[in-house]
């Protein structure tokens, strides 16, 4: 059974190991240790840790209720870990914050993440053309997706 809880400073090594797994530099991103410590202490951010991965939310203080799923990663790809963890992250967001719109950016071409987000209720909003510079210097489009509280409520009911 996958669980989810707010991270502490003790979880930072696990988070950093996970976000530094091979290939994640292209699709997940990473913070240095000092930045993780600062973000965990900042009430506008939430680091959530599950048994097999983590999520980072920011803009929890956004006056319009737009919260960003900044980062999501699991310890092993293609094993269904994301499918177990992502619904917990979405549910946590809508039950523990006043979020109206939970949104994320996705590197174009990351089809596994696209499918996961769609299964979790996220809808495509648009494309931010060449908005990301990948570690190898190439530019990539970013796909913006979101789920609204009424959509999440409807999924809960049925």
């Amino acid at each position: 059974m996958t669980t989810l809880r707010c991270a502490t400073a003790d979880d930072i090594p696990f988070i950093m190991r996970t976000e530094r797994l091979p290939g994640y530099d292209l699709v997940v991103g990473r913070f240095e240790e000092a930045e993780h410590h600062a973000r965990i202490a900042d009430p506008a951010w939430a680091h959530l840790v599950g048994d097999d991965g983590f999520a980072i939310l920011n803009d929890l203080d956004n006056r319009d209720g737009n919260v960003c799923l900044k980062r999501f990663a699991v310890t092993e790809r293609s094993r269904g870990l994301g499918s177990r963890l992502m619904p917990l992250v979405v549910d946590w967001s809508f039950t523990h914050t006043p979020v109206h719109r939970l949104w994320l950016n996705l590197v174009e071409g990351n089809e596994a993440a696209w499918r996961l987000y769609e299964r979790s209720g996220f809808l495509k909003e648009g494309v931010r053309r060449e908005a990301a510079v990948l570690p190898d210097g190439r530019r990539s489009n970013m796909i913006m997706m979101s789920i609204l509280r009424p959509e999440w409520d409807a999924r809960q009911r049925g």
Side-chain angles (χ1 to χ4, degrees):
M1 171 107 191
T2 301
T3 60
L4 186 71
R5 63 178 172 76
C6 289
T8 68
D10 292 339
D11 295 305
I12 292 174
F14 167 76
I15 292 167
M16 290 181 67
R17 274 192 313 275
T18 304
E19 67 188 3
R20 282 161 175 72
L21 288 171
Y24 279 5
D25 56 334
L26 297 175
V27 295
V28 174
R30 59 177 64 157
F31 291 150
E32 295 302 322
E33 183 175 358
E35 191 165 2
H36 277 298
H37 280 284
R39 301 293 183 227
I40 282 178
D42 185 338
W45 290 73
H47 279 57
L48 305 173
V49 176
D51 300 333
D52 299 307
F54 73 92
I56 300 175
L57 305 172
N58 72 322
D59 293 335
L60 294 172
D61 58 350
N62 179 274
R63 74 173 186 92
D64 298 316
N66 293 292
V67 171
C68 176
L69 175 56
K70 174 72 173 168
R71 190 162 301 148
F72 179 83
V74 293
T75 56
E76 294 181 68
R77 288 178 165 177
S78 302
R79 292 205 40 234
L81 303 177
S83 294
R84 290 193 294 271
L85 187 59
M86 180 55 67
L88 298 176
V89 171
V90 173
D91 290 350
W92 187 94
S93 301
F94 286 107
T95 58
H96 289 84
T97 76
V99 62
H100 175 74
R101 177 177 162 268
L102 181 62
W103 68 275
L104 59 89
N105 285 316
L106 164 70
V107 174
E108 187 174 65
N110 187 349
E111 295 302 320
W114 174 277
R115 288 188 305 273
L116 171 65
Y117 299 141
E118 275 195 322
R119 283 192 312 271
S120 301
F122 287 84
L123 301 175
K124 179 180 176 181
E125 291 187 338
V127 177
R128 295 174 52 215
R129 298 179 314 133
E130 297 186 3
V133 178
L134 302 178
D136 63 6
R138 289 181 298 128
R139 290 207 162 265
S140 175
N141 292 340
M142 298 294 288
I143 309 298
M144 184 176 279
M145 299 180 81
S146 72
I147 181 171
L148 303 178
R149 183 174 289 277
E151 295 163 345
W152 176 79
D153 285 336
R155 290 172 65 92
Q156 298 304 109
R157 287 191 306 272

